[in-house]
């Protein structure tokens, strides 16, 4: 990463810091630094000095602590030039699959206040991510039916894009699903493309564009583009002074990920209590 450019700070792909570790996050922002713990106890100190940060990207399924300024979290975040939000709402909150996640109605109510704080709907990314299929007796179910509700809420708040992907059942997630009695189903690619076509048509009816996260085969569907969830070009354009930022691909992400460089300050040791059965990050569930 070019040391002359301000950096993008991601908080965080690895755990929901906003929902479950707001005190830690607030303390790190207050001290203007975060200490990351890697495997084999290796440590790295990350500067969070607002003078060195281009954009602070917050990822969460529940922004209650942020919106209520718990631990002065909102005030501390406002010291940064630009805030960008990734807000995940799948419609599965409160179910076996996302047992401790905020229920959909409560989550949808957070969209408008987040847009007001962001200063532009372009600084809020709604994530219908992931799409999950499972069997109950002989009936195949999914959260696809929730999509019109999130699309309607997004459109009403001035948003123009929704990011999505289909669940990827890594080995630990498969074992976890079996342990909790979830008979998940991973459809073949043809069925996923068919479902994506339906989503694209619905999104278009609400004036929305769909962005597929790290699943390149979905970008073959008309109306769907590949996503860069952290998009340096977009963040540069939205920045109050259009300050330059790295546009290089983030080499720490999956090959199909189009994200540009950022520094993630979360840690896998901060085990997320949301307890989503499909989660790739939570090793303790």
């Amino acid at each position: 990463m070019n040391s002359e450019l301000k950096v993008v700070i991601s908080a965080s792909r690895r755990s929901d810091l906003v929902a479950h570790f707001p005190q830690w996050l607030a303390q790190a922002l207050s001290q203007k630094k975060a200490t990351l713990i890697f495997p084999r106890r290796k440590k790295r100190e990350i500067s969070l000095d607002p003078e060195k940060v281009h954009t602070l990207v917050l990822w969460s399924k529940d922004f209650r602590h942020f919106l209520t300024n718990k631990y002065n979290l909102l005030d501390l975040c406002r010291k940064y030039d630009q805030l960008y939000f990734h807000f995940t709402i799948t419609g599965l909150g409160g179910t076996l699959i996302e047992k401790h996640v905020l229920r959909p109605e409560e989550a949808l109510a957070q969209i408008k206040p987040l847009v007001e704080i962001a200063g532009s709907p372009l600084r809020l990314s709604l994530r219908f991510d992931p799409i999950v299929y499972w069997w109950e007796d002989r009936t195949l179910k999914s959260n696809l039916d929730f999509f019109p509700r999130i699309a309607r809420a997004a459109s009403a708040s001035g948003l123009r894009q929704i990011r999505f992907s289909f669940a990827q059942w890594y080995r630990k997630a498969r074992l976890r699903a079996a342990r909790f009695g979830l008979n998940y189903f991973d459809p073949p690619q043809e069925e996923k493309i068919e479902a994506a076509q339906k989503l694209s048509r619905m999104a278009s009816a609400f004036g929305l564009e769909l962005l597929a996260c790290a699943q390149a085969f979905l970008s073959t569907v008309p109306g769907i583009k590949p996503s860069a969830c952290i998009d340096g070009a977009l963040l540069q354009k939205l920045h109050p002074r259009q300050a330059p930022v790295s546009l290089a691909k983030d080499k720490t992400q999956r090959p199909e990920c189009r994200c540009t460089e950022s520094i993630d300050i979360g840690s896998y040791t901060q085990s997320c209590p949301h307890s989503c059965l499909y989660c790739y990050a939570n090793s303790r569930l």
Side-chain angles (χ1 to χ4, degrees), residues 13-284:
R13 287 182 172 96
R14 297 172 184 144
S15 185
D16 195 329
L17 299 178
V18 176
H20 294 298
F21 300 93
Q23 188 172 15
W24 179 92
L25 180 57
Q27 183 177 18
L29 296 176
S30 178
Q31 295 177 346
K32 300 181 182 181
K33 64 180 180 179
T35 301
L36 304 190
I37 301 175
F38 294 95
R40 300 179 182 177
R41 294 294 174 181
K42 291 183 179 180
K43 295 182 179 181
R44 178 187 177 191
E45 188 169 288
I46 306 298
S47 173
L48 301 180
D49 186 340
E51 295 297 320
K52 298 181 180 180
V53 175
H54 184 280
T55 303
L56 176 61
V57 179
L58 299 177
W59 311 66
S60 188
K61 291 183 176 178
D62 183 0
F63 281 90
R64 275 181 294 180
H65 298 319
F66 174 82
L67 292 171
T68 58
N69 200 26
K70 193 169 185 178
Y71 306 115
N72 295 318
L73 184 57
L74 174 56
D75 289 342
L76 288 164
C77 287
R78 278 180 161 153
K79 294 182 180 180
Y80 292 85
D81 286 343
Q82 178 166 239
L83 298 176
Y84 188 92
F85 303 108
H86 279 293
F87 190 11
T88 300
I89 309 176
T90 66
L92 295 169
T95 69
L96 172 66
I97 298 170
E98 293 184 355
K99 188 173 181 180
H100 300 299
V101 174
L102 194 66
R103 293 185 180 276
E105 298 78 12
E106 297 174 83
L108 290 171
Q110 295 181 4
I111 295 174
K112 287 189 176 180
L114 283 173
V115 170
E116 291 176 5
I117 292 168
S120 167
L122 297 177
R123 295 192 181 101
L124 173 59
S125 165
L126 272 187
R127 307 179 66 86
F128 184 59
D129 180 19
I131 297 168
V132 183
Y133 293 82
W134 69 97
W135 290 100
E136 288 187 14
D137 297 323
R138 296 184 179 180
T139 302
L140 182 62
K141 297 194 172 185
S142 79
N143 54 332
L144 286 169
D145 290 342
F146 180 73
F147 183 77
R149 290 179 62 189
I150 192 172
R152 186 176 296 108
S155 181
S157 298
L159 277 65
R160 290 295 172 259
Q161 296 177 331
I162 292 181
R163 287 174 166 83
F164 80 109
S165 74
F166 291 87
Q168 297 186 51
W169 290 94
Y170 297 98
R171 182 177 182 274
K172 60 184 174 183
R174 295 196 301 269
L175 294 173
R176 184 188 302 137
R179 191 165 71 251
F180 283 86
L182 176 69
N183 187 11
Y184 77 90
F185 175 65
D186 189 12
Q189 185 168 303
E190 295 76 18
E191 291 185 27
K192 292 176 181 176
I193 289 176
E194 184 178 343
Q197 289 170 338
K198 294 178 181 178
L199 288 180
S200 181
R201 289 194 291 270
M202 283 190 282
S204 179
F206 286 100
L208 297 166
E209 179 181 54
L210 288 183
L211 302 176
C213 184
Q215 293 179 339
F217 71 92
L218 293 172
S219 60
T220 64
V221 176
I224 298 178
K225 295 180 180 179
S227 172
C229 299
I230 292 184
D231 183 346
L234 175 63
L235 296 179
Q236 183 171 304
K237 181 179 178 181
L238 295 175
H239 191 277
R241 297 181 299 282
Q242 288 78 55
V245 72
S246 175
L247 304 181
K249 175 178 168 55
D250 190 334
K251 297 178 181 178
T252 67
Q253 301 303 318
R254 293 170 289 177
E256 290 188 1
C257 177
R258 296 200 172 198
C259 285
T260 55
E261 290 181 319
S262 66
I263 300 176
D264 199 296
I265 62 170
S267 168
Y268 290 125
T269 63
Q270 295 163 312
S271 186
C272 178
H274 275 326
S275 303
C276 304
L277 296 188
Y278 52 77
C279 183
Y280 66 88
N282 194 336
S283 60
R284 298 183 185 180

